[in-house]
Amino acid sequence: MPMDINCDMGESFGAFRVGNDQEILRYVTSINIACGFHAGDPMIMRQTVRHAITNNVKIGAHPGYPDLQGFGRRNMEFTPEEIYNMMIYQVGALKAFVDIEGGELHHVKPHGALYNQSANDAVKAQAVIDAVYDLGPNLILYCLSGSLIAKMAKDKGLAVYEEAFSDRNYNDDGTLVSRSFDNALIEGEDAMLEHVSRIILSNEVMTVQNKVIKLNAQTLCIHGDGGHALEFAKKISKLNK
């Protein structure tokens, strides 16, 4: 059975443009739409929702830290209440656009530093989980494969898609290599295809320490802001049939 292929989208705002969203939509099965904190704005949010519905692609919210300058990728410290409230605020805004366009919100995937910091921090994870559950217990949480948040969300009763990444390298413990390191990203097509083939066919990855580790992934992410995102999406779509 083909794996769900998701892509982060709607990350343009104002005069600033990111990615090839409309083209990539043809090759993915779900998307995660920026909600205005790390990227995106009301015009882009509604436009992206419309395009997703037209292409019959599942819609997810992609809430992040309030960090436009750092694209939501800088670690920040907030209280659990602050994390909960910023999740409700962002997902609620996107859901309003989905509702008025006649669509359905399928999932929530935290963005960037919020995603990584909540993956294995029980306090932050609980704030994220509680927000998603209160927004709708039928929503699916997209989160890092093998992470603490995945286990906690399942214990809460949320449906979970554990996620692998098509364009990111891994450490032996299953975490992503930090973007502060030169080897964080997989940028060559051949290397990407080898990496993705392992994930799709065997649910495993080769780490940067040259160790094969198992994953339990139901969805595979393509970063829409990546320089090779469209080309990767085309290749992955063919590989995933």
Side-chain angles (χ1 to χ4, degrees):
M1 181 178 176
M3 184 178 287
D4 175 59
I5 306 297
N6 78 78
C7 186
D8 303 339
M9 285 194 181
E11 294 178 320
S12 301
F13 54 92
F16 180 64
R17 290 292 176 264
V18 178
N20 297 290
D21 288 3
Q22 289 193 58
E23 292 85 355
I24 292 173
L25 273 167
R26 298 162 53 197
Y27 303 101
V28 299
T29 53
S30 66
I31 62 170
N32 322 298
I33 302 177
C35 301
F37 270 32
H38 79 277
D41 64 28
M43 296 295 290
I44 296 296
M45 289 165 71
R46 188 172 187 186
Q47 174 184 300
T48 308
V49 166
R50 285 175 169 169
H51 291 322
I53 292 171
T54 299
N55 285 272
N56 197 31
V57 171
K58 294 181 178 69
I59 299 170
H62 201 32
Y65 286 145
D67 181 28
L68 279 176
Q69 291 84 356
F71 201 66
R73 288 175 175 157
R74 297 183 292 190
N75 286 346
M76 293 180 156
E77 292 302 324
F78 292 96
T79 67
E81 183 179 18
E82 288 171 325
I83 292 173
Y84 176 95
N85 286 335
M86 70 176 67
M87 292 276 297
I88 299 294
Y89 183 93
Q90 293 175 82
V91 179
L94 182 71
K95 187 176 185 301
F97 286 122
V98 174
D99 288 346
I100 64 172
E101 293 296 336
E104 181 179 357
L105 188 64
H106 175 256
H107 65 274
V108 177
K109 174 185 166 181
H111 167 79
L114 176 59
Y115 181 101
N116 290 321
Q117 286 190 295
S118 63
N120 291 296
D121 181 313
V123 174
K124 291 181 174 64
Q126 193 64 59
V128 169
I129 291 165
D130 288 345
V132 175
Y133 188 87
D134 290 350
L135 283 158
N138 294 324
L139 290 171
I140 300 170
L141 177 65
Y142 282 28
C143 56
L144 184 67
S145 177
S147 61
L148 175 63
I149 193 173
K151 180 182 184 304
M152 290 174 61
K154 291 173 186 176
D155 290 344
K156 177 83 171 183
L158 277 176
V160 172
Y161 277 17
E162 296 190 44
E163 182 177 41
F165 288 81
S166 66
D167 49 10
R168 294 292 304 275
N169 276 315
Y170 282 76
N171 297 305
D172 282 356
D173 63 358
T175 59
L176 302 176
V177 175
S178 169
R179 286 179 179 269
S180 63
F181 294 105
D182 292 339
N183 62 344
L185 301 179
I186 298 171
E187 298 184 290
E189 187 174 294
D190 290 343
M192 180 278 297
L193 287 173
E194 181 179 353
H195 174 75
V196 169
S197 293
R198 281 183 180 272
I199 294 170
I200 291 175
L201 299 176
S202 306
N203 247 316
E204 64 185 27
V205 294
M206 176 75 76
T207 72
V208 292
Q209 292 85 16
N210 293 316
K211 178 181 177 182
V212 175
I213 61 171
K214 282 289 186 181
L215 299 177
N216 174 34
Q218 293 80 50
T219 187
L220 179 72
C221 175
I222 300 169
H223 284 102
D225 66 309
H228 306 285
L230 179 56
E231 291 79 9
F232 280 12
K234 291 177 180 178
K235 295 289 185 180
I236 291 169
S237 178
K238 289 182 180 179
L239 190 64
N240 192 46
K241 292 188 183 299

